[in-house]
Amino acid sequence: MSHNTFGHLFRVTTFGESHGVALGCVVDGCPPGIPIDAADIQAELDRRKPGQSRFTTQRREADEVRILSGVFADDRTGGVQLTTGTPIALEIANTDQRSKDYSEIRDSYRPGHADYAYDAKYGFRDYRGGGRSSARETAARVAAGAIARRVLPGEIIIQAALVQMGPHAIDRARWDWDEVARNPFFCPDATAAAFYEGYLDGIRKDGSSVGAVIEVVAEGVPPGLGAPIYGKLDADLAAAMMSINAVKGVEIGDGFASAALRGEDNADEMRSGNGGGPTFLANHAGGVLGGISTGQPIVCRFAVKPTSSILTPRMSVTRDNRDVDLVTKGRHDPCVGIRAVPVAEAMMACVLADHYLRHRGQVGKPG
Amino acid sequence: MSHNTFGHLFRVTTFGESHGVALGCVVDGCPPGIPIDAADIQAELDRRKPGQSRFTTQRREADEVRILSGVFADDRTGGVQLTTGTPIALEIANTDQRSKDYSEIRDSYRPGHADYAYDAKYGFRDYRGGGRSSARETAARVAAGAIARRVLPGEIIIQAALVQMGPHAIDRARWDWDEVARNPFFCPDATAAAFYEGYLDGIRKDGSSVGAVIEVVAEGVPPGLGAPIYGKLDADLAAAMMSINAVKGVEIGDGFASAALRGEDNADEMRSGNGGGPTFLANHAGGVLGGISTGQPIVCRFAVKPTSSILTPRMSVTRDNRDVDLVTKGRHDPCVGIRAVPVAEAMMACVLADHYLRHRGQVGKPG
Amino acid sequence: MSHNTFGHLFRVTTFGESHGVALGCVVDGCPPGIPIDAADIQAELDRRKPGQSRFTTQRREADEVRILSGVFADDRTGGVQLTTGTPIALEIANTDQRSKDYSEIRDSYRPGHADYAYDAKYGFRDYRGGGRSSARETAARVAAGAIARRVLPGEIIIQAALVQMGPHAIDRARWDWDEVARNPFFCPDATAAAFYEGYLDGIRKDGSSVGAVIEVVAEGVPPGLGAPIYGKLDADLAAAMMSINAVKGVEIGDGFASAALRGEDNADEMRSGNGGGPTFLANHAGGVLGGISTGQPIVCRFAVKPTSSILTPRMSVTRDNRDVDLVTKGRHDPCVGIRAVPVAEAMMACVLADHYLRHRGQVGKPG
Amino acid sequence: MSHNTFGHLFRVTTFGESHGVALGCVVDGCPPGIPIDAADIQAELDRRKPGQSRFTTQRREADEVRILSGVFADDRTGGVQLTTGTPIALEIANTDQRSKDYSEIRDSYRPGHADYAYDAKYGFRDYRGGGRSSARETAARVAAGAIARRVLPGEIIIQAALVQMGPHAIDRARWDWDEVARNPFFCPDATAAAFYEGYLDGIRKDGSSVGAVIEVVAEGVPPGLGAPIYGKLDADLAAAMMSINAVKGVEIGDGFASAALRGEDNADEMRSGNGGGPTFLANHAGGVLGGISTGQPIVCRFAVKPTSSILTPRMSVTRDNRDVDLVTKGRHDPCVGIRAVPVAEAMMACVLADHYLRHRGQVGKPG
């Protein structure tokens, strides 16, 4: 990962600020011949789009994606638009910018936001909506992820869900992937989702915010993806998820809970499988051993902190170092973790696509 | 991070297997003129070295480092050995290899180890001591970290400690950095350390193992290190720590606990500081906002799973897919997390050194 | 250099095809606080723009650049638009596409073009105007180069010129940099330029084409830029120039002529300088020794082959492997080398900006 | 290419100085299962080794290579040592160092050498034998190249030859690859080789030196290797060759001569081939179009300047800026181009291996 690029063979470079002209990405290294059109990408962007329920920011953005390059259709492709193997540039114009909402914080640092850090680094900043530090950047990731999904073999299924809101975890016994599409929280537990409605309404009315935990699972991943030692699949996933706005922790499989286990309980036992590879009797490892996929589901979780854009006044300072009490007005998410769910899927897809191609490069087709 | 290299300007490439001829690293991009000799590196290696107490593997390795290149001394340097700006190659010979210890597992996959994953990826593997997947590789990281520390300004202090063994966390109220050097667990809580002695003796006698949580803290880091979006300081730290053997989770600041907080509690408030920058009233963020250091201490924690090398038989399969019950003999660590402490410091040092140089490249001297 | 990105700290990623929606680039790693607006970039693009004389392709493209991100202006910046340190995305829409011009060559491979190679690599291709292989991509380089120039200290002056057209070299004794802006060939020798007018008219009327040699010189470069061994300044320049369409050779300083010299003649002698550094008595080395700048002018030359888009029928084959005789109609450059002159300057600027930042990262400010 | 690493999937990092403890390389990303032992690598090193005829430096170096990691043999591999897919570290100890030979130039800058440039960059330098700037580093390249050759399919044949010494070019009509092994100049023209003996004896006795031109050819390369735009095969070759010590120019196919051609002559015509792909009727392009291999032989040439280590006194300056006349004693090559021949093959092999794996990653198996 360099400043604004991640991936080695499937490389994603993103650009854009919250209130600039446009944001977008360039996806380089995509294999040729993959069918993709703007509607495919749009469908995934629409899942992340703000303003779809009262539980996300009311900023209205069409988030309409344009493909600028890297695809081609003619009668030889049957009229289907295919990737050509050259860089795919995607652009999403900013339309609902309302810069004036932010004018009052141009001189102060919002606590818990990147304002001070950007100023300390660069000497000044585009304060409109957080500029480059805005979670709006994640739209570009979702767009790239839509391509990455299509690079991967069809048997790989990537799904994410919200598994905790504030202190309230779901009951994993009630996990139902179908439920995720039925509630505004991407929650796989219908009972928890029903509870979250009232809970988050309360938070929202308080002008407050809460954190969340997101889990993303990739099923059907062949064994062998990942590369020791600094290209470990879990190390790349950790970086990918930690790079999402407001994420403060990442774990694979049992994660932090594994610290409390004994070796007998943690080691996933195996029995002979009928496909040649072993059948695992547990998945404490979350599908990754030694940084390499084992063929089990890859399970990754991350914690999202509550946004600091709240209505309760907070102590802060101005750019010229005077004390100030600050209220962050504007349109915000009471639980930014919700919209991180499609972003999590996108990042998983991008990391897997990259490792799929890297493995094919070094070793040949995995499987 | 690519396969066996990490960092952009301060780049570390490691090589070597547990039972090969030697392991080591090449550190590229190190600034010139930095005093370093083998003894400096050796001192840090000795902290990680096996066999220093009954609580770590009894494998005997001198872990003696040789500097092959990249340094120079003559009368003009006052006889002091300085880095020249060219790649510094470090070599640590393997001496106590006892390959026969491992011959019985050449045909079977140890549960919870990378054995199957390596075979699935590469088609075969160097099974001696885990080959490349052995934690012995971390010696090379510690050696590189010794150089990285010297690249950083002197006011940056990096320290790590074990803060949980199995399910037993320390009492943070008793935290004393000086205590870390006084017990074989790198534990900052003397009372917990005393408890761990008996606890781990029991684990060891059972032929079992336990996990741990390690915390690494960097103080004195200037604000401005890190780079949005895919070069975020915390994203690079997450990858760096997750790449350490047996690590299953990484968090920054409050980490997973921040999911349960409300915005009012999570946002670190500020008051005007006397040095120009703000004074923070809390550090839930762990010193990083928007991927950029804030000048507060950088706090990173990671979970280490228990090693699967235990004496209790575990169900597994052979390379030719037959069921087998496996006991992992050999010399192992009852709590591999202990020796991860100096590795954590090394990885923090390497990541910070890289970002220090990257910042200086893009923006000029930080501070 | 990876597929569509070059540079380490000053990184340029380009995208776009000749007849797609748009082309452009993302410049990542640019230092903050540099004044830049679209007009600055446009001025350099206009030098490369087609259709400015009868000696370049008559395709009409406005080549109008839009800055999508990475800049900011407010009253605190005095209304001046400054780089923010985040990625700068530049977009140039394709307007005069006339795809039908190329429909007849969709089934055949133009000799001397990349048509067959693209098909062999990717299985199919965007044949419109050469798709990604079109020299139109160089507009993105020129745009990036406009930013790169501003990253470099003001004392660094980068200029390029055409020094040979077909077999006709200029007389270097008549070299006058001011002349370059006065003729449509970017030629520093007025007499040669006058000759080229008639010569190239003849070539053009024949429906033929000729090659050229371009020389690019950077003056005022401080000593110390470049990095042994695989980041040598001349190695990066060689790659940068060779990546320009139709370039078949690159040389530094005396280049191929140095093979015929003896050591006495080739070694640039030195005398003590008054600024501390030596004064060189010659510049056979072209300003680079051991891959590092010496403070002398950096002199780089490259050969551009004649375009294969000519009116004389050439033997070729179709995609389905039948013989065909092919004439390349459409609007083409009789000497594509001419428009490579601003591209050469841009590539020199990008390479130097990258090395300037890399040096500052590793060693501190050069000079 | 970064400071001391080149390649993306087949990555080579080299280290070491002329008179340090050892030099070597780490080859990362090598596919697993490739038979390689030290003798294979040694055979190629021996071709580059100094002191093999009176026409190369009389420094005596065994150049004995040790493989430190990345290979494994047991009865399952039939006792054959195979690459494991993990980094292969190679070490070559420096034995005949004679540092005192160089003590007299520690305070002065040899004209035409990197001495001043290194000092200007780093503030001081390892002056013994040129330190990192010594051509001794190329031994590491040759070692890496021996591995790269084995990564490539067997039908790819890479050979290099000296085609010009001083001003004296060979007669290409007499080209015989078998001749290359029969004379100390790697010259494919027996008549020229005979002439060079006397010629170079004269140069040597004068204490002078001459330049050379080397040509390297890869036959059997499948079409499709290389990647637009900044991963062009010829751009990577240009950088690879230009990074070799003393190289001042690189060309592909007709190279600089193509500038003088007309489009009709330069475009390589095609006729339908019997293998599906076209048969080319000429190879002005040197096997690369649009940066991608065409299936024709890849032809690359580079110019090597005469070494500046000569017995004729040259004007120079000291480190403290005093005038001095300098004679470079020690053991040197009268024509350093000779030993660049195996280096050229190695660099071609490394670049092709990298592109072979990159192509397989993005597109699948080439051919």
Side-chain angles (χ1 to χ4, degrees), chain B residues 17 106 124-128, chain D residues 36 69-77 79-84:
Chain B
E17 284 82 37
R106 50 166 279 199
F124 77 113
R125 70 194 147 102
D126 177 351
Y127 49 79
R128 300 167 303 165
Chain D
I36 190 89
S69 66
V71 295
F72 186 64
D74 71 354
D75 53 347
R76 187 170 293 124
T77 71
V80 177
Q81 186 165 274
L82 301 179
T83 59
T84 58

Side-chain angles (χ1 to χ4, degrees), chain B:
Chain B
M1 313 228 301
S2 67
H3 290 188
N4 291 281
T5 298
F6 69 100
H8 285 251
L9 290 192
F10 187 86
R11 293 167 73 88
V12 178
T13 300
T14 73
F15 61 86
E17 284 82 37
S18 176
H19 287 64
V21 175
L23 55 87
C25 64
V26 181
V27 176
D28 194 13
C30 185
I34 295 178
I36 191 92
D37 61 26
D40 297 326
I41 301 171
Q42 196 64 51
E44 307 219 14
L45 278 170
D46 288 348
R47 294 181 69 213
R48 195 213 70 103
K49 203 166 66 174
Q52 305 203 104
S53 79
R54 68 183 185 275
F55 302 111
T56 59
T57 174
Q58 296 307 300
R59 175 171 176 166
R60 291 279 163 194
E61 282 289 354
D63 274 4
E64 196 175 304
V65 68
R66 285 203 308 153
I67 305 180
L68 303 183
S69 65
V71 294
F72 185 63
D74 72 353
D75 53 348
R76 188 171 292 125
T77 71
V80 176
Q81 187 164 271
L82 302 179
T83 59
T84 59
T86 62
I88 304 166
L90 304 175
E91 186 190 88
I92 300 165
N94 285 320
T95 52
D96 179 15
Q97 303 175 354
R98 288 207 216 168
S99 289
K100 61 183 175 313
D101 278 358
Y102 295 95
S103 56
E104 63 189 17
I105 52 119
R106 50 166 279 199
D107 297 316
S108 301
Y109 300 129
R110 294 170 299 168
H113 276 291
D115 300 354
Y116 168 66
Y118 268 64
D119 254 14
K121 181 170 193 74
Y122 298 119
F124 77 113
R125 70 194 147 102
D126 177 351
Y127 49 79
R128 300 167 303 165
R132 181 73 179 145
S133 73
S134 165
R136 208 168 147 53
E137 185 268 348
T138 58
R141 305 179 190 223
V142 171
I147 298 171
R149 274 188 207 267
R150 283 156 180 79
V151 169
L152 292 168
E155 61 269 26
I156 298 182
I157 306 295
I158 297 168
Q159 297 173 96
L162 183 148
V163 298
Q164 181 181 322
M165 185 185 290
H168 308 291
I170 65 161
D171 178 348
R172 302 180 77 91
R174 285 195 295 257
W175 191 299
D176 176 2
W177 279 116
D178 291 340
E179 198 55 44
V180 166
R182 292 191 202 117
N183 62 69
F185 310 112
F186 300 109
C187 178
D189 168 359
T191 309
F195 170 78
Y196 292 159
E197 281 217 31
Y199 171 69
L200 199 54
D201 265 335
I203 296 289
R204 192 168 53 87
K205 284 168 187 160
D206 290 355
S208 185
S209 64
V210 286
V213 176
I214 308 303
E215 182 166 319
V216 53
V217 180
E219 293 175 282
V221 176
L225 300 195
I229 300 290
Y230 302 108
K232 283 182 173 173
L233 184 57
D234 40 1
D236 279 358
L237 285 172
M241 302 306 167
M242 193 67 97
S243 76
I244 299 172
N245 305 58
V247 172
K248 300 303 286 184
V250 183
E251 54 185 18
I252 305 290
D254 279 7
F256 277 88
S258 63
L261 295 178
R262 288 172 62 129
E264 304 87 277
D265 303 315
N266 183 65
D268 300 324
E269 294 184 292
M270 292 172 264
R271 291 281 86 172
S272 55
N274 45 20
T279 297
F280 287 89
L281 307 183
N283 191 14
H284 297 281
V288 184
L289 285 170
I292 299 173
S293 65
T294 61
Q296 293 215 82
I298 294 173
V299 181
C300 180
R301 255 181 319 280
F302 58 85
V304 185
K305 69 179 184 184
T307 178
S308 307
S309 300
I310 50 177
L311 293 182
T312 309
R314 296 280 88 191
M315 290 189 279
S316 187
V317 299
T318 62
R319 291 194 84 218
D320 51 2
N321 202 29
R322 285 176 299 104
D323 287 349
V324 69
D325 283 352
L326 207 65
V327 172
T328 311
K329 291 175 200 150
R331 302 151 297 173
H332 298 293
D333 290 283
C335 177
V336 286
I338 297 170
R339 293 205 289 136
V341 171
V343 181
E345 294 181 3
M347 294 308 281
M348 175 66 86
C350 289
V351 168
L352 288 179
D354 187 40
H355 276 284
Y356 186 83
L357 300 184
R358 286 162 76 176
H359 179 89
R360 188 165 70 180
Q362 187 184 10
V363 184
K365 203 167 178 309

Side-chain angles (χ1 to χ4, degrees), chain C residues 162-163 165 168-176 179-180 182-199:
Chain C
L162 183 148
V163 299
M165 185 184 289
H168 308 291
I170 64 160
D171 179 347
R172 302 180 75 91
R174 284 196 295 256
W175 191 298
D176 175 4
E179 197 56 43
V180 166
R182 291 192 201 115
N183 63 68
F185 310 112
F186 300 108
C187 179
D189 169 357
T191 308
F195 170 77
Y196 291 159
E197 280 217 30
Y199 171 69

